[in-house]
Amino acid sequence: MFKKMFKNITESITDMTQNAAKDQQQPDSYNEVLKAYGQGDMQKAMDVGAASVGMTTMNTATEDPNDPLLQPVHGITVFDYAAGAAKMGAGCTDMQVCKALGVELPLWEEAKTTWNNRMRDDKTYNMVNVYSKYFGKANEHEKLGQLVPDQAPATAVAEGAAAATLQRIETDKHYFFELQGALQAAYDNGLDGAQWLIDELGLTVAQVNAAGTKWMSDFNILAQMIDYQDQKKKEYNERFAKEANTGGVADDVEF
């Protein structure tokens, strides 16, 4: 997933920057992008390229207090919304989030719709990038940080083991991208990748992605890890194919 995302973003920004240079709108920016590419600094290339066409990255997104797209909705801030979405992805309910925030369900539902519409309509991607930053910081939210699901997805994985895995994802970029490759391989082999994560690690896709936000937001790391993710995908493809041919009896794989 992230390889495709990275490739699409890179190609789009490069194309737009080239077009801007041809029109003599941003020739200096285009040259700066090319220089950054040549130096292997993908983060700078993406930041400059995005800026040249009026877009932001997670590295350059801003939170102007006067930005109408970032104004709270019924008192629900973008941090509230992003953290709430992350917690719901981990299995919490709307009512749990509402109770923790101290808001009524209809107001929360309307706020979700408004925030979603703002992100959809923002062509600069600033809104999406601010949201993504806070999504990865859900556990730091004053009211929602310690919220746990009333009914977490059923799994045989011990809570402590799942927590340790989350910690590993946050500190080990190789492990995070290994899991991304495994998810791709699972879906490619007709498996429910989300359920596979729950069964194997006791975690949801949202929990894994939230824990790996810092890896996803750094384009230098994304560029470095593309081939590694592909290799892991190949390994898991072989594993899943073998399991399918042996009635689901898997070789031991160390997570």
Side-chain angles (χ1 to χ4, degrees), residues 44-122:
K44 182 177 180 180
M46 296 300 287
D47 290 344
V48 174
S52 73
V53 292
M55 295 164 54
T56 70
T57 67
M58 277 186 65
N59 195 47
T60 61
T62 60
E63 293 185 66
D64 183 345
N66 297 315
D67 186 345
L69 293 181
L70 292 175
Q71 299 307 305
V73 183
H74 300 309
I76 298 168
T77 67
V78 63
F79 193 9
D80 295 335
Y81 172 57
K87 291 299 179 178
M88 289 174 65
C92 293
T93 64
D94 283 285
M95 285 305 301
Q96 278 188 274
V97 172
C98 289
K99 183 177 180 180
L101 290 177
V103 299
E104 297 295 328
L105 181 59
L107 297 182
W108 170 250
E109 294 288 357
E110 186 173 327
K112 287 198 300 181
T113 299
T114 300
W115 283 116
N116 280 331
N117 289 342
R118 287 178 178 180
M119 287 192 285
R120 179 198 64 202
D121 297 337
D122 181 15

Side-chain angles (χ1 to χ4, degrees), residues 2 15 51 56 70 72 107 116 124 172 175 181-182 193 208 234:
F2 294 109
D15 289 345
T56 70
L70 292 175
L107 297 182
N116 280 331
T124 70
D172 184 348
Y175 187 52
V208 170
K234 180 180 178 181

Side-chain angles (χ1 to χ4, degrees), residues 116-154:
N116 280 331
N117 289 342
R118 287 178 178 180
M119 287 192 285
R120 179 198 64 202
D121 297 337
D122 181 15
K123 305 308 180 184
T124 70
Y125 291 92
N126 192 70
M127 176 73 250
V128 173
N129 285 312
V130 171
Y131 166 87
S132 297
K133 178 187 73 173
Y134 283 125
F135 187 88
K137 294 183 176 182
N139 289 336
E140 299 176 21
H141 191 280
E142 181 180 6
K143 297 179 179 179
L144 299 176
Q146 302 305 311
L147 193 65
V148 296
D150 288 337
Q151 294 182 327

Side-chain angles (χ1 to χ4, degrees), residues 17 21 25-34 48 52:
T17 307
Q25 297 173 15
Q26 299 281 353
D28 292 338
S29 294
Y30 180 56
N31 290 333
E32 193 172 350
V33 169
L34 288 181
V48 174
S52 73

Side-chain angles (χ1 to χ4, degrees), residues 155 157 161-162 165 175 179 196-203 208 255:
T155 180
V157 179
T165 299
Y175 187 52
L179 292 181
W196 179 83
L197 272 181
I198 292 170
D199 294 340
E200 294 283 345
L201 305 177
L203 301 174
V208 170
F255 290 97

